[in-house]
Amino acid sequence: MSLVVQKYGGSSVSDAEALKRVARRVADTVREGNDVVVTVSAMGDTTDELIDLAQEVSDSPDPREMDILLTAGERISMALLAMAIGSEGIPAQAFTGPQAGVITTEHHGRARIIDVAPGRLQKALADGKVAIVAGFQGLNQETQDVTTLGRGGSDTTAVALAAALGADVCEIYTDVDGVFSADPRIVPAARKLDRITYEEMLDMAASGAKVLMPRCVEYARRFTVPIHVRSSFSGLEGTWVVGETEEGDEMEDPIIAGVAHDKSEAKITVTGVPDVPGSAARLFEAVARADVNIDMIVQNVSATNTGVTDISFTLPSAQIPDAIAAIEADSGVIGFEALTTDDTIGKISLIGAGMRSSSGVSAKFFAALRDAGVNIEMITTSDIRISVVTRAEQLEKAVRAVHTAFELDSIEGEAVVYGGTGR
Amino acid sequence: MSLVVQKYGGSSVSDAEALKRVARRVADTVREGNDVVVTVSAMGDTTDELIDLAQEVSDSPDPREMDILLTAGERISMALLAMAIGSEGIPAQAFTGPQAGVITTEHHGRARIIDVAPGRLQKALADGKVAIVAGFQGLNQETQDVTTLGRGGSDTTAVALAAALGADVCEIYTDVDGVFSADPRIVPAARKLDRITYEEMLDMAASGAKVLMPRCVEYARRFTVPIHVRSSFSGLEGTWVVGETEEGDEMEDPIIAGVAHDKSEAKITVTGVPDVPGSAARLFEAVARADVNIDMIVQNVSATNTGVTDISFTLPSAQIPDAIAAIEADSGVIGFEALTTDDTIGKISLIGAGMRSSSGVSAKFFAALRDAGVNIEMITTSDIRISVVTRAEQLEKAVRAVHTAFELDSIEGEAVVYGGTGR
């Protein structure tokens, strides 16, 4: 008998029919002899509707009250799912995040899980019940207030529960069949991956793959929780996200896991920065104070002793105004000639744990881009990833070229089901 | 400075505009120098919509999960109201029933309040905040599960909070201007009462007046909480529900508070019951086991030594099938000839604490009915109430006749605003 944690997103529980379909799947998992804990998101667009209501009554809703409001969505879905599972003849009990023992920091709207005390869930399991847990929420123990976990919170809840309960697997149900070697909407020949390591998945997620959020994968990696990403519609075997393979297996593993892309970033170039120690520090201190998330950074070698240099960095497009304001406010201490912004960039990343031990991967990557006529504007590398910035309009061509060059295209041209991006 | 508890029902917070109107009223009450605690119901039809969803996914939803589901409605309205009050520049914090310290029995769907531990509310008030509390819900301390209070639960929450906090007044906002001497839809000349005693209000409520539920009035009477029933739309002074007047005042009090009516009951007559000690006990034991709420009971004097008698009683129409089944199941021990049911009855009640010390009230009441051609089928009396059962189709005529006979009609024929029945 295994202990299975399952997570269903909002699109899997969008209405009564969808809830009943999920209930049947949960009941089937129980009938197969498993103990089951289910994490569930709010139904369909509930969260967006609640946010709209809040904005109708207040220009700047209090974050504590906002969390009380938003957690009502999961309250509804978890209770209905428990009832629907009960109708399948399987006893089920619903628990809020606080009831399930999910303890978080105090940051309303973006709390982080500190600890999970799963006593009530264990009791429910021992009583032969399915435990349904509201995703995306927890308890600030000091104030006894409910908190929400922010983006990727429901997946993280599922992984945290799986870790605390010592579950055999954490199944993340979504509207795609798993993790793909590239976005099938851009690369029709993309293959569903049977297995991917935590490290690869982290880099895929950080590089634009939307099926899992990095924080959820990071949590799973830290506690070695096997994640199984699969479709709530097809019922097919999906993608397993697991730890590094044993050395003996490694030879059979592909060198490259996949190609990720991201169009959501922009580039800021600061020109004429004094080429003296501390310039970069002053620039990025200013940016950090504005809570801006920097991704890639490139500093040009200063040419012919002009005494000044240019620094470019990428960041989420939405944070451009904050970053510009922060840099201009500190222009006196930083010292620079001009600021330019460019939000028509794209980023393509090649990810694979196997590239650690393989030479020539970078060369092959750059050659593929050159052959496709794609110009490279910035480059960063880690030991399992190479990312380059290109023009946005060249991005899709670049993804297809690299996917083909590394022989990732499915040979049989098998049909791939891809319904959109996961939450 | 006074401490005011205000309660707003679902029709007062049906949408964002209504919430903002309530927020302005709460803010005004604070600006007048009061500490304010607000109890709020779910928005508009939210509760009914959640019940519909539950019935779509389950034929017999678990009562515990049903309470989790239904309490989401108040969670939404309380958070939105706190935000809306914040937008008025007045700090406000929302609390669930459990957070507000409302401790209840374990009966899901119809829990009763055992105690209120209002520490968090007192802290919020001390911090200069308005405390918003979800109505209709509390905590079963043993299981740490949320419970709902059933019919009249939100009003009772407000009164219980007012009692625990020692509030100066509990204002119940509704869609009518107060308590009337009769239902203005039937008696256009009905007057809004400025004041009514707990005992009179209890009898009015138990006799069909819907503006307050008996359990809420009973709670207020026990803890001597002054209730002010008023309109959330007009802002006018409403009706005060208070303790018995001092003896000195009594002379100026009217003898009669009002006329109530009720069409929701039915009558069961059991004929040929053995006229021996214990017959009635056996009959009503059977009915009690079926959880049927008996109202009036009449046993005929057995005629001419037949050795058998007839017993009639009234009960909510909806409970007829349960009552019949219970009586027939015990027909062996009860012993009777026949059962007849009649759901075309009406009940009219005259209520007034002053009738204790006034003679001739009953005679005048029966005379008014006789003059209106209304036949009396059953009679019960208490020291502040006379009720009779009539044909349902004669009920409205009876109410008008009695209202006029006791000079309750408004003299000036003043316009009365009446928008429906309260919750």
Side-chain angles (χ1 to χ4, degrees):
Chain A
M1 181 154 87
S2 296
L3 173 55
V4 179
V5 173
Q6 299 185 330
K7 181 261 174 178
Y8 296 92
S11 61
S12 301
V13 292
S14 54
D15 57 21
E17 280 315 305
L19 276 162
K20 286 197 264 190
R21 190 170 56 229
V22 167
R24 281 193 293 275
R25 182 177 292 277
V26 172
D28 286 345
T29 311
V30 172
R31 290 192 196 101
E32 287 159 11
N34 302 291
D35 282 342
V36 184
V37 173
V38 180
T39 306
V40 68
S41 301
M43 293 170 72
D45 302 324
T46 307
T47 303
D48 290 338
E49 288 165 11
L50 292 174
I51 290 172
D52 288 347
L53 269 175
Q55 286 170 344
E56 279 183 67
V57 301
S58 173
D59 294 333
S60 57
D62 184 275
R64 174 187 181 274
E65 317 306 315
M66 197 69 185
D67 277 359
I68 293 172
L69 179 70
L70 295 184
T71 49
E74 276 78 18
R75 201 174 181 87
I76 292 169
S77 56
M78 77 186 204
L80 289 171
L81 183 56
M83 293 174 191
I85 293 171
S87 285
E88 293 285 324
I90 307 285
Q93 265 192 315
F95 299 95
T96 62
Q99 286 179 328
V102 179
I103 312 299
T104 75
T105 61
E106 75 279 16
H107 302 98
H108 286 292
R110 53 190 177 94
R112 302 200 77 80
I113 296 176
I114 298 170
D115 196 10
V116 178
R120 290 193 70 174
L121 304 185
Q122 285 163 329
K123 178 164 188 318
L125 292 173
D127 291 347
K129 291 174 180 164
V130 173
I132 317 293
V133 179
F136 185 64
Q137 59 178 247
L139 179 73
N140 171 2
Q141 267 190 314
E142 198 164 324
T143 61
Q144 293 288 305
D145 285 325
V146 73
T147 53
T148 65
L149 304 180
R151 289 194 67 191
S154 288
D155 288 355
T156 309
T157 300
V159 171
L161 292 175
L165 292 164
D168 296 282
V169 58
C170 178
E171 297 183 337
I172 306 278
Y173 285 89
T174 178
D175 48 9
V176 297
D177 272 339
V179 182
F180 282 74
S181 58
D183 185 338
R185 287 171 302 187
I186 290 178
V187 183
R191 287 178 303 136
K192 190 197 75 187
L193 307 178
D194 293 331
R195 219 191 53 174
I196 186 169
T197 66
Y198 296 125
E199 289 75 14
E200 289 169 330
M201 190 66 237
L202 265 179
D203 266 323
M204 289 283 276
S207 304
K210 294 188 177 62
V211 65
L212 287 178
M213 293 290 290
R215 80 189 273 198
C216 145
V217 182
E218 179 55 40
Y219 206 111
R221 191 189 62 77
R222 197 180 328 148
F223 294 94
T224 324
V225 174
I227 297 181
H228 187 186
V229 181
R230 56 195 306 196
S231 164
S232 62
F233 300 97
S234 74
L236 297 175
E237 185 82 354
T239 300
W240 285 80
V241 186
V242 293
E244 289 276 335
T245 50
E246 298 299 312
E247 282 222 47
D249 295 340
E250 216 164 290
M251 289 179 64
E252 295 181 39
D253 275 342
I255 294 170
I256 301 301
V259 183
H261 71 278
D262 190 352
K263 274 191 185 174
S264 70
E265 294 195 343
K267 183 173 69 171
I268 291 181
T269 302
V270 189
T271 55
V273 180
D275 191 10
V276 295
S279 289
R282 282 191 289 272
L283 173 62
F284 290 107
E285 276 164 10
V287 175
R289 274 200 302 277
D291 253 345
V292 170
N293 303 315
I294 300 297
D295 180 17
M296 299 166 74
I297 300 175
V298 172
Q299 177 173 342
N300 294 347
V301 175
S302 65
T304 63
N305 290 326
T306 54
V308 294
T309 187
D310 301 342
I311 299 177
S312 294
F313 61 91
T314 62
L315 72 171
S317 297
Q319 296 189 323
I320 285 185
D322 289 348
I324 297 290
I327 296 169
E328 288 184 339
D330 278 14
S331 61
V333 287
I334 302 169
F336 59 87
E337 284 160 17
L339 275 179
T340 58
T341 64
D342 177 358
D343 62 357
T344 56
I345 62 168
K347 185 174 72 167
I348 169 173
S349 302
L350 184 71
I351 292 124
M355 71 171 73
R356 274 196 196 107
S357 49
S358 300
S359 57
V361 171
S362 302
K364 193 171 180 180
F365 181 63
F366 298 140
L369 293 174
R370 176 201 62 206
D371 293 347
V374 174
N375 192 44
I376 297 172
E377 304 187 9
M378 296 170 84
I379 303 172
T380 59
T381 60
S382 77
D383 65 338
I384 68 164
R385 177 175 57 86
I386 311 169
S387 300
V388 303
V389 166
T390 69
R391 287 291 88 203
E393 71 266 18
Q394 294 193 314
L395 186 60
E396 299 193 2
K397 181 169 66 171
V399 171
R400 280 190 291 269
V402 171
H403 198 267
T404 302
F406 282 88
E407 294 166 22
L408 298 170
D409 294 354
S410 57
I411 296 159
E412 326 90 275
E414 66 209 284
V416 163
V417 178
Y418 195 85
T421 57
R423 271 187 75 179
Chain B
M1 183 153 87
S2 296
L3 174 54
V4 178
V5 173
Q6 300 185 330
K7 181 263 175 176
Y8 295 93
S11 61
S12 302
V13 292
S14 53
D15 57 21
E17 280 314 305
L19 275 161
K20 287 199 263 190
R21 192 170 52 231
V22 167
R24 281 193 293 274
R25 182 177 291 279
V26 172
D28 287 344
T29 311
V30 173
R31 291 192 196 103
E32 287 160 10
N34 301 293
D35 281 343
V36 182
V37 173
V38 180
T39 307
V40 67
S41 300
M43 292 170 73
D45 301 326
T46 308
T47 304
D48 290 339
E49 288 164 13
L50 292 174
I51 291 172
D52 288 348
L53 269 174
Q55 287 170 344
E56 279 183 68
V57 301
S58 173
D59 294 333
S60 56
D62 184 274
R64 175 187 180 275
E65 317 305 315
M66 197 69 185
D67 277 358
I68 293 172
L69 179 70
L70 295 185
T71 49
E74 277 78 18
R75 200 175 182 85
I76 292 170
S77 56
M78 77 185 205
L80 290 171
L81 183 56
M83 293 174 192
I85 293 171
S87 285
E88 293 285 323
I90 307 286
Q93 266 193 312
F95 299 95
T96 62
Q99 287 179 327
V102 179
I103 313 299
T104 75
T105 60
E106 75 279 17
H107 302 97
H108 285 292
R110 54 189 176 93
R112 303 199 76 80
I113 296 175
I114 297 169
D115 196 9
V116 178
R120 289 192 71 174
L121 304 186
Q122 286 162 330
K123 176 161 189 322
L125 293 173
D127 291 346
K129 291 174 179 164
V130 173
I132 317 293
V133 179
F136 185 65
Q137 59 179 250
L139 179 74
N140 172 2
Q141 267 191 313
E142 198 163 324
T143 62
Q144 293 288 307
D145 284 327
V146 72
T147 54
T148 64
L149 304 179
R151 288 194 67 192
S154 287
D155 289 354
T156 308
T157 301
V159 170
L161 293 175
L165 293 164
D168 298 280
V169 57
C170 178
E171 297 183 336
I172 305 278
Y173 284 89
T174 178
D175 48 8
V176 295
D177 273 338
V179 182
F180 282 74
S181 58
D183 185 337
R185 287 171 302 187
I186 291 178
V187 184
R191 286 178 303 137
K192 189 199 77 189
L193 307 178
D194 294 330
R195 220 192 54 178
I196 186 171
T197 67
Y198 297 124
E199 289 75 15
E200 289 169 331
M201 190 66 238
L202 265 179
D203 266 323
M204 289 282 278
S207 303
K210 293 186 178 63
V211 65
L212 287 179
M213 293 289 289
R215 79 191 273 201
C216 146
V217 182
E218 180 57 39
Y219 206 111
R221 190 189 64 75
R222 198 181 326 146
F223 294 95
T224 324
V225 174
I227 296 180
H228 186 186
V229 180
R230 55 195 305 195
S231 164
S232 62
F233 300 98
S234 74
L236 299 174
E237 186 81 353
T239 301
W240 285 81
V241 185
V242 291
E244 289 275 335
T245 49
E246 298 298 313
E247 281 222 48
D249 295 339
E250 215 163 290
M251 288 179 63
E252 296 181 36
D253 275 343
I255 293 169
I256 300 302
V259 184
H261 71 278
D262 190 354
K263 273 190 183 175
S264 69
E265 295 196 342
K267 184 172 70 171
I268 291 181
T269 301
V270 190
T271 54
V273 180
D275 192 10
V276 295
S279 288
R282 283 190 290 273
L283 172 63
F284 290 107
E285 275 163 12
V287 175
R289 273 200 301 278
D291 254 344
V292 169
N293 302 315
I294 301 296
D295 180 19
M296 298 166 75
I297 300 175
V298 172
Q299 178 172 343
N300 294 347
V301 177
S302 67
T304 62
N305 290 326
T306 54
V308 295
T309 187
D310 302 342
I311 298 177
S312 294
F313 60 91
T314 62
L315 72 170
S317 297
Q319 297 190 320
I320 285 184
D322 288 347
I324 296 290
I327 296 168
E328 286 182 340
D330 277 15
S331 61
V333 287
I334 300 169
F336 59 87
E337 285 160 15
L339 273 179
T340 59
T341 65
D342 178 357
D343 61 359
T344 56
I345 63 167
K347 185 174 74 165
I348 169 173
S349 302
L350 184 71
I351 292 124
M355 71 172 72
R356 275 195 196 110
S357 48
S358 299
S359 58
V361 171
S362 302
K364 193 171 177 179
F365 181 63
F366 297 141
L369 293 174
R370 176 202 63 207
D371 293 346
V374 173
N375 192 41
I376 297 171
E377 303 187 9
M378 295 170 84
I379 303 172
T380 59
T381 61
S382 76
D383 63 340
I384 67 163
R385 178 175 57 85
I386 311 169
S387 299
V388 303
V389 166
T390 69
R391 286 292 87 203
E393 70 268 18
Q394 292 191 314
L395 186 61
E396 299 193 1
K397 180 168 67 172
V399 171
R400 280 190 290 269
V402 171
H403 198 267
T404 301
F406 282 89
E407 294 166 20
L408 297 172
D409 294 354
S410 58
I411 295 161
E412 326 90 274
E414 66 211 283
V416 164
V417 179
Y418 196 85
T421 57
R423 271 187 77 179

